[in-house]
Amino acid sequence: MVCAQQVLSAGSKGVGTTPPNIDPAQSAGSDAPGYQPQWSLALASMWIPTVDISDEWAARFARFSDFMQDTLTTSMVTLWTTSPLWTLVLYIYLMVYVKVLRTFLLLYLVYCFCDPRPYDGVGRRVASIQKLPLWKHVNAYFQPKMVFEAPLNAKAKYVFGSHPHGVISYVSQLVAGTTGLGIEAQVPGLVVRGVTMPATFAIPFFRDWALAMGCLSCDRSSIRRILSDRHHRLHQSLLVVVGGAEESMLAHEGSADLILLKRRGFVREAIRAGCDLVPIYNFNENSIYKLVNNQQGSLVHRFEMAIKSLFGFTILLFYGRNVFFTPFRTQLVSVVGRPIPVQRNYNPTEEEIKEYHDLYVEELKRVYIKYKPRYAPDAADIRFVA
C-alpha cells in the first residue's frame, strides 16, 4: 500500500520528476541521442524476470536430442538393410498404381535382364557413394572395425574369402563396397570388387545400387574378367562370400558353422590369376538378425531347400528388433588374415588346388581361434559342416 501511494504521489508531481534515490544530476542530458536514464533501467529490472534454464531442463533437452539422433540412425540403417525388399515393393506399387509409368517400368525391367555391366568385370562403380551420410549412421550403429594380420600391397591383386555368409552378408558389403569403411579405406589404391548371385541384378532399383557399390556377378566368367590382366591397371581384387546361400541357412546367432571344405572354385581362380589368397572372418555377422528355427527336417528347412533347388538361392525366415526388420545392434569386426602366396598356373591340378585350399582353411581357423576370445567370447567353436 505504501508503494502504491509513492507511485501516485510521484505521478502527481509531473512527468519530469526524478524518482527517489536517483541523483538529479544523473538525469541531465536526457535529450541527448540514445540516452536512457538509469532510473528507467532500474525500474525495468524490477519488472522483467530473468529466465533461468535449470540443469533438469538441460538434461531433458540432451536426452531428447540423443533420442532424435538415435531414431534417425536406426531409420537409415533399417532402410539400408531392407533395401532389397522395399525397392521391389516400390517397383510393384508403381507398376500397379501409376499407369503413366508402366511403359517406362516395363522397358526398365527388360533392361535389367539385358544389361551386360554386372558380368563384364568392370560394372558401374560410383566411388562418390562413400561420401553419403548413410555410412556415418552405419558406422555409429554397428561400429565396424577392421583388423589386419599383415599389411597388404596396394599394387597387388588378392582373392579375399569372406566368412560367414550371415543372413544377407552385410559385413561383406561394408568390407568390399565403396562405403569408406572397408579395405579400400585402409589400403588406398587397392580396388576390391565384391561378387553376389546373378539374381541380385534382377531386382529393380536395388540392382543399380549394388552396381554403384561395386558389386558384380559371381559366375565364373565374371570372376575371370575381374581378375583379368586386361584390368591390371585397376589393381582389381576379388571378394567372394564362399559359403553362399547354403551357408546362410546356418547363420544362427553365436554359431560358426561354415560351408568351405567343398568350395574350391575360388582357389582355382586365384591360382589361374596368380592372386594371393586372404581369408576374412567377420565376427558377429550372425548376430545382426535371428533365424527362425530351421533344423534339418523341419517344415521351415524343407521350404528353404525347395526354394534353393528351384532358384539357386533361398528365402530365409528371420526377424529383427521390430516389425520393420531393424537389425540388432552389435559391433562388427572383420579380421583379415595373412596373405597366402600363390604361384600362378593357368591349368592347376587338383593336388595343387587342394594344397592351397588346406593352407587357406588352416589360416582361417587360426584367425578365428586367436580373435574369438576378444570379439565373440560366447560364440561356438568354428565348425566346417561341408
Side-chain angles (χ1 to χ4, degrees), residues 42-329:
L43 291 177
S45 64
M46 295 172 57
W47 298 102
I48 300 176
T50 302
V51 179
D52 182 20
I53 301 178
S54 65
D55 293 340
E56 180 182 355
W57 280 102
R60 288 184 181 180
F61 179 79
R63 288 195 298 268
F64 177 76
S65 179
D66 293 341
F67 169 77
M68 294 302 297
Q69 180 63 34
D70 184 69
T71 300
L72 176 61
T73 295
T74 303
S75 301
M76 294 297 292
V77 171
T78 302
L79 284 175
W80 172 59
T81 56
T82 60
S83 52
L85 176 62
W86 67 258
T87 51
L88 179 60
V89 172
L90 175 62
Y91 179 86
I92 296 174
Y93 175 84
L94 294 176
M95 178 69 75
V96 173
Y97 293 103
V98 186
K99 296 181 180 180
V100 71
L101 295 178
R102 285 182 181 175
T103 301
F104 169 77
L105 292 173
L106 285 173
L107 292 175
Y108 172 69
L109 187 62
V110 174
Y111 164 77
C112 292
F113 286 95
C114 298
D115 182 17
R117 300 309 292 270
Y119 314 97
D120 64 2
V122 179
R124 198 175 295 114
R125 175 188 172 96
V126 181
S128 59
I129 279 185
Q130 64 181 322
K131 299 179 181 179
L132 292 177
L134 167 66
W135 307 121
K136 295 181 180 179
H137 295 289
V138 172
N139 187 42
Y141 194 88
F142 289 119
Q143 300 180 358
K145 178 181 179 180
M146 295 204 69
V147 179
F148 291 83
E149 281 277 287
L152 300 179
N153 184 1
K155 296 184 178 180
K157 294 194 296 184
Y158 301 95
V159 172
F160 297 95
S162 183
H163 312 268
H165 185 283
V167 174
I168 313 182
S169 299
Y170 292 111
V171 183
S172 298
Q173 295 180 39
L174 296 178
V175 169
T178 54
T179 63
L181 303 174
I183 296 176
E184 294 182 9
Q186 304 294 329
V187 188
L190 187 64
V191 178
V192 182
R193 309 305 298 268
V195 292
T196 184
M197 57 184 180
T200 300
F201 302 100
I203 304 176
F205 304 142
F206 177 74
R207 68 179 304 278
D208 299 294
W209 169 257
L211 282 170
M213 286 275 292
C215 292
L216 295 171
S217 174
C218 66
D219 63 278
R220 180 178 298 180
S221 60
S222 175
I223 289 177
R224 290 185 176 179
R225 290 189 180 99
I226 293 172
L227 300 176
S228 172
D229 292 335
R230 183 165 60 91
H231 306 300
H232 69 281
R233 59 186 176 85
L234 298 177
H235 307 301
Q236 289 195 145
S237 295
L238 172 72
L239 185 141
V240 56
V241 185
V242 180
E246 186 176 355
E247 190 175 272
S248 67
M249 299 169 60
L250 305 173
H252 292 280
E253 183 181 17
S255 67
D257 297 338
L258 304 181
I259 305 294
L260 178 59
L261 299 182
K262 64 180 182 180
R263 308 282 190 180
R264 299 186 179 184
F266 73 103
V267 178
R268 178 185 297 105
E269 299 306 320
I271 298 174
R272 291 186 77 260
C275 302
D276 291 352
L277 287 163
V278 184
I280 301 176
Y281 195 90
N282 305 307
F283 289 93
N284 300 320
E285 168 77 71
N286 290 342
S287 299
I288 298 177
Y289 284 111
K290 295 184 180 180
L291 286 177
V292 174
N293 185 17
N294 60 348
Q295 296 296 327
Q296 189 170 4
S298 65
L299 181 61
V300 174
H301 183 266
R302 291 199 296 268
F303 166 78
E304 293 174 346
M305 290 301 296
I307 297 296
K308 181 178 180 296
S309 62
L310 289 175
F311 302 104
F313 62 91
T314 188
I315 298 177
L316 298 175
L317 301 182
F318 62 93
Y319 60 94
R321 288 173 53 185
N322 49 44
V323 296
F324 301 107
F325 290 95
T326 299
F328 291 97
R329 192 188 292 260

Side-chain angles (χ1 to χ4, degrees), residues 260-261 279 337-338 340 354-370 382 384:
L260 178 59
L261 299 182
R338 299 169 185 167
I340 301 171
K354 183 179 183 303
E355 178 183 353
Y356 284 114
H357 187 272
D358 291 343
L359 292 174
Y360 181 93
V361 172
E362 289 302 317
E363 176 63 12
L364 180 63
K365 288 172 60 177
R366 186 192 66 81
V367 166
Y368 185 84
I369 294 173
K370 178 179 179 180
I382 192 169
F384 300 103

